[in-house]
Every structure is written in structure tokens, then in C-alpha cells.
Amino acid sequence: MQIAILNGVNLDVLERRDPAIYGGISLNDLETQIYAWAKALGCTARCRQTNNEGDYVAWCHDALDWAGGVIANPGAWTHYSYAIRDALELFEAPVVEVHLSDIDHREEWRRLSVLADIASARVIGKGPQGYREALAFLAERAA
């Protein structure tokens, strides 16, 4: 199974963000770990990150043709981007919404997710390990 991992705005500077909230890991280290977890689960991962909402939407469209599952962490776009929501809603394959921090227990504005009702699963507040949980969920669905 091929899995698209789509990371959004500000995740490119992950290691500069509050380590108590985001885990103190760099995006490069996170992606290295994701590739290792995917391989161990018998999957192939393709990680992408952008600070451009249009690129994110285009990557969703591209993944429609090859991904058997999607892990989406749009960052702050989670809370208001209906363009990303609409692009993810096109998937017949499962979409897992992932957030490193526990957005349900942070600032009020972060508690809304425009993706929540279209996600097959949500993994929130588990740090980098949340991506492993999301990969395992998708791998089990494919089996």
C-alpha cells in the first residue's frame, strides 16, 4: 500500500516550535521515522510538506491516482481551509487526520477541525508517534 503523508504550513520549522507542544523533532527526522515505520508495516510512504495551500490541494489531487491512504496534517489550515477539506473529501481511500499537539485542549480557535467529519480516523496529541498510529491504522485497513 502506498500512503501519502501531507504536512502543511509551518511544519518545515517544526524543530523551532515549542518542544513541549510539538516534540522538539525536525521535519527531516520525523520523515525519516515515518519511512522506517511504513517499511516495518509493509507500506510505502511518500512525505510532502508545503507552506502553500494551493500546492497542498494539488498534492491531494495527485494522490487520488496512486495513494491507498492519506495521512493529513495541514497545520493551521485544519481550522479553516475548506479548499483542503474539499480536496481530501474526494478520496475513496481512508484519510487520517494527524496533529502532533492536542488541538482539542489548546486555544479555542484550534479546537475546530474542518476535516473531522471526513476523516476515517483522527490521531491527536500523540507527538511524532501519532504518525505511526495513523500508518498502522491504514495498514490494517488494507490487510
Side-chain angles (χ1 to χ4, degrees):
M1 167 188 252
Q2 293 186 53
I3 300 172
I5 293 89
L6 304 176
N7 287 305
V9 66
N10 292 320
L11 285 159
D12 60 321
V13 291
L14 190 55
E15 74 279 4
R16 294 176 177 223
R17 300 187 80 185
D18 185 344
I21 296 173
Y22 297 100
I25 190 170
S26 71
L27 180 62
N28 186 55
D29 290 342
L30 176 61
E31 289 179 348
T32 298
Q33 188 62 66
I34 288 168
Y35 291 130
W37 286 327
K39 184 177 180 181
L41 290 165
C43 302
T44 303
R46 182 173 181 188
C47 295
R48 294 177 127 176
Q49 185 282 327
T50 185
N51 292 317
N52 181 303
E53 187 177 12
D55 288 344
Y56 199 98
V57 168
W59 291 344
C60 290
H61 296 170
D62 174 66
L64 286 167
D65 295 328
W66 59 265
V70 177
I71 296 173
N73 181 352
W77 293 323
T78 300
H79 315 295
Y80 65 88
S81 178
Y82 288 97
I84 289 173
R85 182 198 188 284
D86 287 350
L88 290 169
E89 188 176 29
L90 294 170
F91 282 93
E92 292 180 19
V95 174
V96 180
E97 178 184 355
V98 171
H99 298 284
L100 296 162
S101 70
D102 185 355
I103 62 172
D104 290 340
H105 293 96
R106 292 191 60 197
E107 302 91 339
E108 188 68 32
W109 65 269
R110 290 187 198 269
R111 296 177 189 177
L112 169 68
S113 167
V114 299
L115 310 178
D117 66 327
I118 63 164
S120 300
R122 298 177 78 214
V123 184
I124 297 170
K126 297 188 178 181
Q129 191 68 28
Y131 285 85
R132 190 199 178 291
E133 187 174 319
L135 286 164
F137 173 85
L138 292 172
E140 288 172 17
R141 295 278 306 256

